[in-house]
Amino acid sequence: IEKPAEQGAKPGLLGRMLGRDDAPRRVLDDEMLERLEELLIQSDMGVETAMRVSANLAEGRFGRKMSVSEIKAALADEITRIMEPVAKPLPLYAARPQVVLVVGVNGAGKTTTIGKLASQFREAGKSVMIAAGDTFRAAAVEQLQVWGTRAGVPVMTAPEGSDPASLAYDALARAKAEGIDLLMIDTAGRLQNRADLMEELAKILRVLRKLDPDAPHNTLLVLDATTGQNALNQVEIFRKLADVTGLVMTKLDGTARGGVLVALADRFGLPIHAIGVGEQIDDLQAFDPEEFAAALIG
Ligand code: GDP
């Protein structure tokens, strides 16, 4: 059984289509570049980014005879070059508490990511608190409590249907009083009613800033890799709803189409703080551009 690549993309999507590493060398000509571009688009890189990657690949190499492994290595290099500037772990500030607002559509993996992050920071010796800000989904609150228990971190909740901003305010007040290092606030992801959500998020920001003008210090947008190019739209939308400062890409274990990460880096340049590679508490990794590029190319 083939072991799935850790950082995104089932192995071999591009590799298999290019042929075996020991296949005869071939000339990097227009036809070859067009074919590569198609493969990149199939990996969900999007047309624009795929064209840029293949143009970069051609530079200084056009007309050269290359082996499959040379082409793969060159492609991986080009992708790594795009991804390196965005591979940044969540920055830690001296602020106490550091307030991290977590946004994203329902099902993207917000709850899971908050649980995994809470566990990582706790293991690193930080005190962490979670606020279950999606007060309209009882199931979301329950899930977060389960994750809080797993991570050994307190979860602040409010009655179903109550004002998320008021919970956020109380959570920050308590985190301040208790000298907590990191407060993570979950939010609703109901994009169906965007005006409502916008107002809700705006109100959360307003009340947090009453207690700390710098809060939130980070606004993480959680994206599901299996939604492919749709992730680009979600960035556009959430950037209008909240000042997104960084991304977490989940479910990279379940897709051969992690190319959307390259498109995101190319288009928005937002930091990728972590990637989700499974449903368990330890399945959150720092984003490693080289490993990711190698896995994507296969
Ligand atoms: P939320 O609605 O945004 O809070 O999303 P959840 O955190 O509840 O996640 C939705 C589903 O995706 C759950 O079944 C999670 O177990 C699953 N999930 C989250 N992150 C990952 C990941 O990195 N890999 C996989 N395979 N599943 C994930």
Side-chain angles (χ1 to χ4, degrees):
I1 299 172
E2 224 170 2
K3 184 178 176 291
E6 292 235 294
Q7 298 237 322
K10 291 196 178 112
L13 176 72
L14 293 176
R16 266 202 297 274
M17 296 179 90
L18 277 172
R20 293 159 51 104
D21 280 3
D22 57 2
R25 284 159 27 113
R26 52 188 92 180
V27 178
L28 191 68
D29 54 12
D30 281 325
E31 194 193 321
M32 184 68 193
L33 283 169
E34 211 167 290
R35 208 158 149 241
L36 287 172
E37 227 169 80
E38 265 166 43
L39 299 182
L40 295 174
I41 291 168
Q42 278 176 35
S43 82
D44 238 340
M45 204 171 283
V47 176
E48 216 177 292
T49 304
M51 282 173 67
R52 188 167 0 262
V53 170
S54 84
N56 291 350
L57 182 77
E59 225 180 282
R61 297 187 188 94
F62 191 78
R64 213 195 271 175
K65 250 188 161 181
M66 295 174 81
S67 67
V68 167
S69 60
E70 281 169 340
I71 294 173
K72 281 199 220 167
L75 263 179
D77 275 354
E78 294 303 337
I79 290 168
T80 303
R81 198 130 45 108
I82 294 177
M83 304 311 282
E84 253 162 4
V86 300
K88 292 180 194 145
L90 187 69
L92 291 180
Y93 303 109
R96 183 179 291 172
Q98 175 166 339
V99 181
V100 179
L101 194 68
V102 181
V103 301
V105 299
N106 289 342
K110 287 186 299 298
T111 308
T112 309
T113 300
I114 290 171
K116 292 170 177 175
L117 280 173
S119 162
Q120 283 189 0
F121 282 110
R122 228 190 79 96
E123 274 173 19
K126 305 273 176 201
S127 54
V128 181
M129 186 185 280
I130 296 171
D134 190 355
T135 57
F136 287 86
R137 277 198 311 163
V141 175
E142 272 165 37
Q143 257 320 100
L144 213 45
Q145 282 172 317
V146 170
W147 275 104
T149 307
R150 265 182 214 152
V153 160
V155 179
M156 273 194 77
T157 61
E160 193 175 342
S162 65
D163 183 4
S166 140
L167 172 70
Y169 184 90
D170 291 346
L172 180 51
R174 185 173 145 197
K176 265 172 155 329
E178 294 184 12
I180 295 282
D181 295 315
L182 195 75
L183 169 64
M184 283 190 276
I185 304 175
D186 188 20
T187 61
R190 292 170 273 109
L191 267 195
Q192 311 84 303
N193 197 338
R194 214 176 291 178
D196 258 13
L197 185 58
M198 182 183 269
E199 197 159 314
E200 190 171 309
L201 290 172
K203 192 169 172 197
I204 292 174
L205 296 178
R206 242 182 359 254
V207 302
L208 288 175
R209 285 171 185 154
K210 278 189 194 166
L211 288 174
D212 181 348
D214 295 327
H217 302 83
N218 314 91
T219 300
L220 290 191
L221 172 59
V222 177
L223 297 168
D224 173 348
T226 64
T227 62
Q229 290 287 296
N230 201 356
L232 295 164
N233 303 332
Q234 288 175 24
V235 176
E236 298 274 14
I237 292 166
F238 276 97
R239 283 218 304 189
K240 289 186 193 127
L241 299 180
D243 180 18
V244 175
T245 59
L247 308 176
V248 174
M249 179 65 76
T250 65
K251 309 186 197 180
L252 268 174
D253 50 306
T255 178
R257 305 172 74 195
V260 68
L261 237 73
V262 188
L264 286 165
D266 188 38
R267 169 104 74 98
F268 299 106
L270 282 164
I272 299 170
H273 292 316
I275 58 166
V277 293
E279 300 186 85
Q280 305 303 315
I281 199 157
D282 292 326
D283 293 333
L284 189 78
Q285 302 178 348
F287 177 65
D288 181 333
E290 245 173 78
E291 202 180 304
F292 168 80
L296 187 67
I297 301 303

